[in-house]
Amino acid sequence: MSLKIGVIGCGAIGREHVRRLTDLVPGAEVVAVADYFPEAAEKVAAQYGIKAYATGEELVAAPEVEAVVITSSDPSHAGYVLECLKAKKYVFCEKPLAQTAADCEKIIAEELKAGKRLVQVGFMRRFDRGYVAMKELIDSGKLGAPLMIHACHRNVSQPAGFQTEMGVTNVAIHELDICRWLTGEEYESAQVLKVRQSANSKGYDNPQIVLLETKSGVRIDVEVQVADCYGYDIQCQVVCENGTVNLPDPAAVVTRSDASRSFPILTDWKDRFIEAYDIEFQEWVKAVTAGKLTGPSSWDGYVACVTADTLNRSRGTGAFLKVETIEKPDLYK
Ligand code: ISE
């Protein structure tokens, strides 16, 4: 028997996940879709011979839907997650879990009422082989304690409507999660800096530098360049006491020609972590089927949102602000 899944959001990543769940994830069956634009859902439904619901709420309530995947626009995530929790259905929500820490707290409160983990957040980098190998090495202690992380997150361009704050809530949020995961530490303080601006910025800050300090004093800097005009480039270097470890670039053929050596850089973020997304959903379906979630939790989504809120509040103040969270409930320990 396969897990019957409904997908809310039929944009680019939603369609990718429907394909992935249908073709690459054993034990999964997408049975329904919904989208804010009904035509988008109907198109996907016709392609796969499945049902299109007029609204996400109807999809969540549908008796044949056992678990839900949310890939709709960022501001709609929290509302749909809460609907799923009320219906006691497992839900996978793309990042960010919510737009604000306050909405994450509502989600946590509902999940606590349910008495078990029902929510997983789409921090797919935790399933990327490169990051996993880095974490294994750091955790082995061979390199000594981590001291610093230098990271960068570069996108080719942004769609119309992109705003400065989204450089943190929608883009750097991946680093906010992965640096916490790599170091196994919580953040003490955070600050975002506006630096010399690129002529490629269109009404938003670009680049920005995110600075974080963990409880033990690990310093993290993340260059966030949301319109670099050359490629989707994700870099991460963890500097430890006795050595450093770098995230590998994705495999690519190297060409030697015209007295130079070169390899292509991806441009679409959906391709950069394509294998991580596959593994993430394979693991999620296994975990839901077994009734025990193990991937990134509402708590992880909450901490990322608190940190993002703190960073956005710090903009223009020239100061590090304290990252303040509620006490971690036992459910997430
Ligand atoms: C997108 O949602 C992602 O998850 C990508 O990793 C990020 O680079 C992109 O800017 C986001 O819009």
Side-chain angles (χ1 to χ4, degrees):
M1 277 277 284
S2 34
L3 179 71
K4 298 196 169 37
I5 300 168
V7 177
I8 304 176
C10 295
I13 192 69
R15 294 195 301 273
E16 271 279 294
H17 288 344
V18 172
R19 175 197 62 78
R20 167 170 290 121
L21 286 162
T22 306
D23 296 344
L24 300 173
V25 180
E29 183 188 352
V30 179
V31 293
V33 283
D35 193 277
Y36 179 78
F37 299 104
E39 323 79 69
E42 278 152 23
K43 208 168 157 196
V44 175
Q47 187 185 345
Y48 289 88
I50 57 180
K51 186 154 170 63
Y53 282 94
T55 65
E57 287 79 1
E58 283 174 52
L59 179 145
V60 173
E64 76 277 15
V65 171
E66 294 170 327
V68 177
V69 170
I70 299 172
T71 66
S72 49
S73 64
D74 292 1
S76 66
H77 289 182
Y80 290 136
V81 172
L82 286 167
E83 286 289 318
C84 293
L85 287 173
K86 280 182 203 138
K88 304 262 185 303
K89 290 190 180 178
Y90 282 102
V91 53
F92 176 99
C93 180
E94 268 302 343
K95 42 60 63 173
L97 176 59
Q99 292 284 88
T100 62
D103 277 348
C104 292
E105 284 182 35
K106 282 189 203 150
I107 290 170
I108 288 175
E110 278 303 315
E111 201 173 31
L112 290 177
K113 271 193 220 156
K116 67 171 190 168
R117 279 199 52 198
L118 290 170
V119 182
Q120 180 164 324
V121 180
F123 288 129
M124 77 296 182
R125 292 190 188 182
R126 294 190 185 199
F127 300 89
D128 173 74
R129 286 183 204 278
Y131 280 115
V132 169
M134 288 174 84
K135 179 156 177 65
E136 279 169 7
L137 186 57
I138 294 165
D139 286 353
S140 76
K142 281 187 199 136
L143 298 182
L147 306 173
M148 286 171 278
I149 300 182
H150 308 298
C152 84
H153 189 145
R154 300 189 189 130
N155 286 274
V156 179
S157 60
Q158 294 301 330
F162 190 85
Q163 292 164 2
T164 298
E165 291 73 18
M166 292 162 72
V168 175
T169 59
N170 180 271
V171 180
I173 195 134
H174 284 295
E175 276 76 17
L176 302 185
D177 180 67
I178 208 70
C179 292
R180 226 183 118 232
W181 184 72
L182 284 172
T183 56
E185 281 206 49
E186 298 299 349
Y187 299 129
E188 173 65 22
S189 61
Q191 178 182 21
V192 70
L193 294 180
K194 183 170 177 173
V195 290
R196 181 176 177 174
Q197 294 294 284
S198 156
N200 302 324
S201 320
K202 298 197 176 70
Y204 43 76
D205 288 2
N206 176 53
Q208 310 186 64
I209 297 187
V210 162
L211 299 174
L212 302 158
E213 189 186 9
T214 70
K215 296 273 182 211
S216 79
V218 176
R219 290 283 185 156
I220 299 164
D221 56 88
V222 186
E223 170 203 314
V224 186
Q225 208 183 149
V226 295
D228 68 12
C229 290
Y230 78 84
Y232 185 64
D233 204 358
I234 302 299
Q235 305 288 330
C236 181
Q237 179 182 62
V238 182
V239 180
C240 300
E241 289 167 305
N242 310 320
T244 71
V245 54
N246 278 55
L247 179 71
D249 278 317
V253 288
V254 177
T255 306
R256 287 174 162 81
S257 122
D258 285 336
S260 71
R261 195 155 47 97
S262 64
F263 65 88
I265 297 179
L266 294 168
T267 52
D268 187 337
W269 54 265
K270 291 187 292 307
D271 297 332
R272 170 63 181 85
F273 290 104
I274 197 161
E275 195 201 23
Y277 284 120
D278 294 345
I279 299 171
E280 172 188 48
F281 276 103
Q282 286 157 1
E283 299 285 313
W284 178 66
V285 168
K286 265 195 241 159
V288 170
T289 309
K292 195 166 172 34
L293 292 189
T294 49
S297 66
S298 305
W299 178 259
D300 297 313
Y302 164 71
V303 174
C305 277
V306 171
T307 313
D309 281 358
T310 310
L311 284 162
N312 279 331
R313 271 191 291 115
S314 77
R315 185 172 293 100
T317 66
F320 271 93
L321 302 185
K322 203 165 163 24
V323 178
E324 284 174 303
T325 63
I326 56 172
E327 204 176 312
K328 191 174 185 175
D330 287 342
L331 184 63
Y332 308 108
K333 281 179 186 159

